[in-house]
Amino acid sequence: MSVLSIAPILSGLGRSKRRDFRELRDEECAERSGAGDNDAFAELVRRYQNRVFRYLKRMVGSEEEARDLTQETFLRVYKALPKWNEQALFRSWLFRIASNAAIDELRRRQDHRPLSLNGLDEPVSQQPTVEHIHYAEERYLFLEKALIRISEIYRQPLLLRELEGMTYSEIGKLLDLTEGTVKSRIARARAKLCELFRNCGYC
């Protein structure tokens, strides 16, 4: 994904090259964006759109839905930035919005169809050159599917920890949980993944 991939958000935004926001902290960009500086918002999108997309893809299990939710997330951010609390950590605030968008989507699904774990016989590569590379690709594909088998209340903190490198404290504040609860849920998520891996012969 690129900034241009969410053109509906950025349509009409300034594209001035006179200002460079790369040296500014997220919170400084957010403050300027909330005050109407669209170049600052474009910089925030540039920094975070791929990370938000990656997180949402693993939350909802669909690349297409993750793209839509990424766009929706940044639209929500754009609308909410004028009221953003300047003392809040922007990354945590952004991922709270992304998390809410993902949970909303999961709740909209009527059937919560679990993804089959039997699709691993589909070839990942037509002509794998090295057996261990093929095996590693299979494991990655399995992980993508296995994550969706874990309840979102456990998957959510695990992804924030593993993908974003957030501290337990930061995740707790983001999800309104105690650090102990965050650690417990992440441990349960990891245990469930290990169980799924063992059951399919990947351990």
Side-chain angles (χ1 to χ4, degrees), residues 70-83:
T70 299
Q71 178 167 302
E72 181 180 338
T73 294
F74 281 102
L75 282 171
R76 292 184 185 184
V77 168
Y78 184 69
K79 292 176 181 178
L81 270 170
K83 299 179 181 179

Side-chain angles (χ1 to χ4, degrees), residues 89-103:
L89 189 65
F90 176 78
R91 181 178 69 161
S92 296
W93 182 72
L94 169 65
F95 275 90
R96 179 188 291 272
I97 293 174
S99 293
N100 289 341
I103 296 299

